[in-house]
Amino acid sequence: MVPRWWPSQCHSSDHHGTRMVAIVVPWRRWLVWYQGGGHCGATAVTTMVPRWWPSRCRGSSHTATIPLALPSPQSVTGTFCPAHEDSALVSCGLDRGRFLLSDVPFPGSTPVLLKRPSFCPAKRLGERPELPLPAELRGRGVAAGVAVLLRASTGRILLTRRASTLSIFPNIWVPPGGHVEPGEELLAVGLRELEEETGLRLPAGTFSWGTLGLWESLYPPMLSRGLPRRHHVVTYLLLRSDEPHAQLEARMRPNESEVSAYAWLEPPVLAAIAATGDEVKGLGGVPSALPATISITELSGGSASSTRLPTATLLATAPARGEDVERVSTGTKFALGLCLGSQGRP
C-alpha cells in the first residue's frame, strides 16, 4: 500500500519468496519502508528513485514504474547527503502503516534531522565494494524503530541498560524503544515500548511530546566487529512528563529480559554524555565538575537495588577494535544533543 496522494497504478508481487514491489511515483527521490511483523523477525523494503532521473526528466509530468527488491546494505543517510557528510535534513511521515522518507515535503510529513555515525558500516561497505556479502545479509533491508527520551518535570531523563542476554547491543545504555509494528503511529510505538520495558504507563494528559531526530543504526556497529546483521532507522521522540522522576520511578516495573539496570540522569551528566559524540577511542576522562560515580538501579531476580556506577562508564565511546564496552549508544548521544540543544542542523 502506498500514500493516498500517489497514482493508483501501484502493485506488489512475490517472486521466488522475495517480495517485489512496483511503485508509481512522481519525479522525486523517495525512500519507502514496508514493515514486516514481529520484533526479531521484522523485515522491510528500502529503495530510492535514481538520482539521475530528475535531471533527465525535468519538467515532465509523467510518472515511472520502479521495480523494487530488498537491497544489500547501503547507507540510508547517504541517499540524502554527499558521501563525505553524515547528516541531512529530510521529511518523514507515516502513511497507513508505512514509514516514508523524502528529500522534499509531502502531505503530513515533518522536517527532521537524519544522521549516521562517521563509522557507519553501511557507509564503509560502500567504500569497499570488494567485500563480499552473504545472500542472507543482502536480503535483510531496513527496519523502522522508535526510542523515547522520557524527561521528568525535574529535568532528569531515563536511560536503561540492555540485558546482557540480548543479541543486539547487550549491556549498552539506551532509552526504551523497539520496532514499529504494521499500522502503528510513532507515539503509540514509544508508549508501548516504554510500558513493555519499564512497566511505566503515562496517562493521557500528563505529558507532551515531539520528534527529535532520525538515527541510522547497524549492528554490529563497526565493520571491525563483523558484517552488519541488523539495519534500522530509529526515530527518537522526546516525552516531557508533568511528574517528577521519583513519582514516575515508583510506578516502574522493569522487564528483566530486556533491562538489567536503569538510571534517572541529571542534565550536567546528560550534557557530558552528549558531548562525547561518535568518537571512537574507548573510555574517556570525567570532567572535574561531575561526580566520580552516579546512582543507578540494578535489577536481578525480580528485585531492584541501588548502586553506584563510575561516571566514566557512561562517557565511554565505542572502541575501534575488540570487544565492545558498557557505554551509552552513539544514537542516544545524538538524541541527547538534540534534546539539550547542543546539536546543530546540517
Side-chain angles (χ1 to χ4, degrees):
M1 193 177 296
V2 295
R4 287 181 288 273
W5 64 90
W6 286 5
S8 59
Q9 303 96 316
C10 307
H11 63 277
S12 64
S13 63
D14 289 291
H15 182 64
H16 300 298
T18 300
R19 180 172 173 81
M20 301 293 293
V21 184
I23 302 177
V24 180
V25 300
W27 292 118
R28 294 176 177 177
R29 186 168 75 252
W30 293 88
L31 279 177
V32 187
W33 276 269
Y34 286 81
Q35 191 66 33
H39 286 277
C40 295
T43 58
V45 176
T46 306
T47 194
M48 67 175 179
V49 179
R51 293 179 185 275
W52 49 265
W53 283 17
S55 60
R56 290 187 56 182
C57 307
R58 195 175 307 279
S60 172
S61 60
H62 295 85
T63 58
T65 300
I66 310 159
L68 315 182
L70 291 171
S72 60
Q74 57 182 304
S75 174
V76 174
T77 309
T79 301
F80 295 99
C81 69
H84 63 281
E85 297 183 7
D86 294 318
S87 63
L89 193 62
V90 300
S91 294
C92 73
L94 285 171
D95 182 86
R96 287 179 279 187
R98 273 61 176 176
F99 185 61
L100 309 179
L101 289 183
S102 173
D103 57 352
V104 293
F106 57 90
S109 67
T110 300
V112 68
L113 182 66
L114 167 67
K115 198 173 189 306
R116 64 186 175 190
S118 59
F119 49 80
C120 173
K123 172 185 174 181
R124 298 303 181 197
L125 281 172
E127 299 169 352
R128 301 182 61 185
E130 75 279 3
L131 284 178
L133 288 175
E136 64 270 18
L137 297 184
R138 292 198 303 269
R140 283 196 180 275
V142 183
V146 171
V148 293
L149 291 181
L150 175 59
R151 185 170 68 189
S153 62
T154 49
R156 297 199 182 200
I157 288 179
L158 175 66
L159 292 186
T160 62
R161 188 178 66 197
R162 290 172 59 82
S164 61
T165 54
L166 294 176
S167 59
I168 299 177
F169 294 110
N171 295 317
I172 300 298
W173 288 85
V174 296
H179 287 98
V180 178
E181 300 291 350
E184 276 190 305
E185 295 292 331
L186 297 181
L187 177 60
V189 178
L191 293 175
R192 172 176 58 78
E193 291 291 342
L194 177 66
E195 183 174 0
E196 289 179 0
E197 295 183 15
T198 71
L200 188 57
R201 178 180 296 181
L202 299 184
T206 65
F207 67 94
S208 59
W209 71 284
T211 302
L212 286 170
L214 306 177
W215 180 259
E216 184 171 12
S217 172
L218 280 83
Y219 186 83
M222 296 182 187
L223 280 182
S224 60
R225 297 188 199 134
L227 294 173
R229 302 193 302 272
R230 293 290 187 271
H231 193 172
H232 292 79
V233 167
V234 180
T235 303
Y236 280 94
L237 304 180
L238 173 63
L239 272 61
R240 311 174 194 86
S241 175
D242 297 336
E243 303 177 76
H245 66 276
Q247 189 171 314
L248 292 167
E249 184 172 6
R251 301 204 308 271
M252 291 177 62
R253 300 293 184 271
N255 179 356
E256 287 186 38
S257 66
E258 298 189 58
V259 176
S260 63
Y262 67 85
W264 289 92
L265 301 178
E266 296 178 306
V269 175
L270 296 167
I273 293 171
T276 62
D278 67 355
E279 296 179 6
V280 180
K281 59 183 180 182
L283 293 174
V286 178
S288 59
L290 297 182
T293 63
I294 61 169
S295 176
I296 70 169
T297 301
E298 290 269 9
L299 307 170
S300 179
S303 63
S305 60
S306 179
T307 186
R308 306 293 296 186
L309 181 74
T311 305
T313 300
L314 296 181
L315 302 184
T317 53
R321 299 194 177 278
E323 293 296 319
D324 209 344
V325 296
E326 182 180 352
R327 57 184 175 87
V328 177
S329 78
T330 313
T332 302
K333 295 175 183 179
F334 159 72
L336 287 173
L338 292 174
C339 177
L340 300 172
S342 61
Q343 190 106 13
R345 292 187 179 277

